[in-house]
């Protein structure tokens, strides 16, 4: 089991092309931890905006009567991937991991796999 700080460090150092990562409570919109980011990626703005994305998708699924779970949400930009992984392990519902990747330096399939592994080891 790893804590939030270790999970964020693993994502930033172990996922090729990682630009920034955050653990977010989408009920409150509060980031429980962030790492990375910079002048081109304001993680405070990104976590707040992605909280709205997650809330909208959860609400839409409820209105559609879909009895399924969201694994992740992918937003593809010209130069970046933004990956949102909703946490389902143990008592982590209401949380998501947000990962921004440099599109030219990352492998999306591998990033998804590594984020899923980090989720499985995360103990909050």
């Amino acid at each position: 089991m790893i804590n939030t700080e270790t999970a964020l460090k693993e994502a930033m150092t172990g996922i090729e092309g990682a630009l920034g990562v955050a653990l977010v409570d989408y009920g409150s919109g509060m980031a429980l931890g962030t790492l990375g980011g910079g002048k081109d990626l304001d993680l405070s703005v990104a976590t707040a905006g992605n909280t709205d994305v997650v809330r909208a998708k959860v609400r839409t699924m409820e209105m559609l009567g879909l009895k399924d779970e969201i694994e992740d949400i992918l937003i593809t930009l010209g130069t970046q991937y933004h990956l949102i992984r909703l946490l389902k392990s143990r008592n982590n519902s209401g949380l998501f991991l947000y990962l921004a990747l440099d599109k030219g330096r990352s492998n999306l399939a591998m990033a998804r796999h590594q984020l899923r592994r980090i989720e499985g080891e995360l103990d909050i």
Side-chain angles (χ1 to χ4, degrees):
M1 291 289 137
I2 58 175
N3 64 20
T4 301
E5 182 180 345
T6 303
L8 298 178
K9 284 180 183 174
E10 277 193 30
M12 282 301 293
T13 60
I15 299 176
E16 187 70 28
L19 300 171
V21 63
L23 177 65
V24 183
D25 177 336
Y26 69 82
S28 68
M30 197 168 129
L32 305 178
T34 63
L35 192 60
K39 68 177 181 74
D40 294 330
L41 179 65
D42 183 332
L43 285 174
S44 297
V45 173
T47 57
N50 286 305
T51 295
D52 291 339
V53 169
V54 170
R55 287 176 182 163
K57 188 60 188 173
V58 168
R59 188 172 52 250
T60 301
M61 288 180 62
E62 288 171 357
M63 291 186 314
L64 291 171
L66 297 176
K67 305 293 184 212
D68 209 342
E69 294 181 336
I70 301 169
E71 284 186 28
D72 52 41
I73 298 168
L74 172 65
I75 300 166
T76 305
L77 304 177
T79 60
Q80 297 177 355
Y81 292 122
H82 291 228
L83 187 58
I84 301 165
R85 177 149 188 97
L86 277 70
L87 304 188
K88 294 181 250 345
S89 57
R90 294 170 299 286
N91 295 323
N92 294 336
S93 64
L95 302 178
F96 68 88
L97 282 166
Y98 165 70
L99 175 67
L101 298 162
D102 179 309
K103 197 172 177 182
R105 296 187 309 119
S106 62
N107 177 320
L108 183 57
M110 189 58 109
R112 289 183 70 217
H113 172 74
Q114 290 173 292
L115 210 54
R116 184 172 38 249
R117 180 191 54 76
I118 291 169
E119 173 197 2
E121 296 175 2
L122 184 60
D123 186 28
I124 301 173

